[in-house]
């Protein structure tokens, strides 16, 4: 947001919407039953998961500093099984959302063939819900909106926008996203990856008017 000079943005997988550079902040806590910010309770839920999956899951440091609506983890675990463990421990309101492959190996997770990023957050909070709420808040038409992402969680937003783009690095790092190259996927893959892929989308949309 700073690089592009944006005045409004959505963060924490849809849990926080910020407008006018912070003059107005909207928090979405979904099914979280408590008061205050969800991370206070999510810390305890994290302990349940780390105990259940030693060597397969860990905090995705240092990216949890100052978070309010979600908690980042990395590793590779069966999400449905993990959520069942959370429910059994009293955290049925929490969900573990897969945010795609991290193209990096960690010594502490050396037994894993690949590492995925996970968001632990309240049920009902998502990028899809965040974009839908933002569109409603600002009166934006679906056809006039686009999403650019590099992970499966980003592609879920395609139901709320007119155009959906995946940067090439997202496909390269996660072969499970190969379906986006098929007919009728509703996803356009850029030629370049990362920031260059994003710039490619911007130029394409501007050229198309």
């Amino acid at each position: 947001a700073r690089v592009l000079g944006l005045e409004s943005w959505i963060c924490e997988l849809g849990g926080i919407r910020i407008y006018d550079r912070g003059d107005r902040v909207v928090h979405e806590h979904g099914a979280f039953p408590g008061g205050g910010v969800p991370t206070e309770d999510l810390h305890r839920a994290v302990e349940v998961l780390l105990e259940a999956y030693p060597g397969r899951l860990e905090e995705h440091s240092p990216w949890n500093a100052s978070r309010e609506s979600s908690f980042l983890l990395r590793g590779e675990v069966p999400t449905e099984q993990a959520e069942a463990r959370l429910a059994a421990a009293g955290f049925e309101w929490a969900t573990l959302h897969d945010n795609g492959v991290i193209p990096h190996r960690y010594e502490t997770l050396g037994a894993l063939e690949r590492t995925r990023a996970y968001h632990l957050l309240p049920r009902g909070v998502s990028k899809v819900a965040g974009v839908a709420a933002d569109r409603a808040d600002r009166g934006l038409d679906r056809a006039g909106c686009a999403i650019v992402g590099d992970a499966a969680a980003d592609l879920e937003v395609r139901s709320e926008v007119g155009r959906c783009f995946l940067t090439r690095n997202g496909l390269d790092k996660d072969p499970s996203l190969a379906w986006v190259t098929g007919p009728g996927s509703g996803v356009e893959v850029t030629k370049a990856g990362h920031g260059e892929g994003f710039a490619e989308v911007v130029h394409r949309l501007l050229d198309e008017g």
Side-chain angles (χ1 to χ4, degrees):
R2 288 194 298 268
V3 171
L4 297 175
L6 303 180
E7 295 186 350
S8 302
W9 58 91
I10 306 173
C11 54
E12 294 205 39
L13 215 77
I16 303 177
R17 305 199 316 275
I18 299 175
Y19 298 94
D20 302 321
R21 298 188 179 183
D23 286 348
R24 182 166 69 94
V25 180
V26 180
H27 296 266
E28 299 289 353
H29 292 168
F32 176 58
V37 296
T39 45
E40 296 177 1
D41 289 69
L42 288 173
H43 275 284
R44 294 192 290 275
V46 167
E47 294 175 0
V48 172
L49 294 177
L50 297 185
E51 183 178 350
Y53 300 102
R56 298 193 60 85
L57 196 66
E58 65 183 13
E59 178 183 347
H60 191 25
S61 59
W63 308 113
N64 284 313
S66 302
R67 298 185 76 86
E68 298 180 6
S69 299
S70 63
F71 200 92
L72 272 171
L73 299 164
R74 63 186 177 222
E76 188 167 36
V77 297
T79 53
E80 290 186 5
Q81 182 188 86
E83 290 181 346
R85 291 180 181 273
L86 288 172
F91 298 100
E92 64 282 346
W93 53 268
T95 182
L96 190 65
H97 197 103
D98 186 344
N99 201 33
V101 173
I102 303 173
H104 184 78
R105 297 295 295 271
Y106 297 89
E107 292 183 3
T108 48
L109 298 171
L112 300 181
E113 293 184 3
R114 62 182 180 183
T115 305
R116 308 188 73 88
Y118 296 96
H119 285 261
L120 181 64
L121 71 171
R123 292 186 181 278
V125 177
S126 68
K127 290 186 178 183
V128 178
V131 170
D134 179 61
R135 280 185 48 222
D137 192 299
R138 297 198 284 173
L140 299 175
D141 182 69
R142 175 182 179 274
C145 298
I147 174 75
V148 186
D150 65 354
D154 301 314
L155 302 185
E156 294 174 4
V157 182
R158 68 187 186 280
S159 62
E160 287 295 327
V161 297
R163 302 280 292 275
C164 178
F165 298 88
L166 177 72
T167 54
R168 173 60 59 173
N169 61 290
L171 182 58
D172 291 344
K173 73 181 180 180
D174 191 352
S176 69
L177 295 179
W179 61 269
V180 304
T181 60
S185 72
V187 180
E188 302 172 57
V189 182
T190 63
K191 295 180 180 178
H194 303 286
E196 290 184 3
F198 177 84
E200 180 184 325
V201 173
V202 172
H203 284 294
R204 187 185 305 181
L205 294 176
L206 289 175
D207 290 343
E208 293 175 1

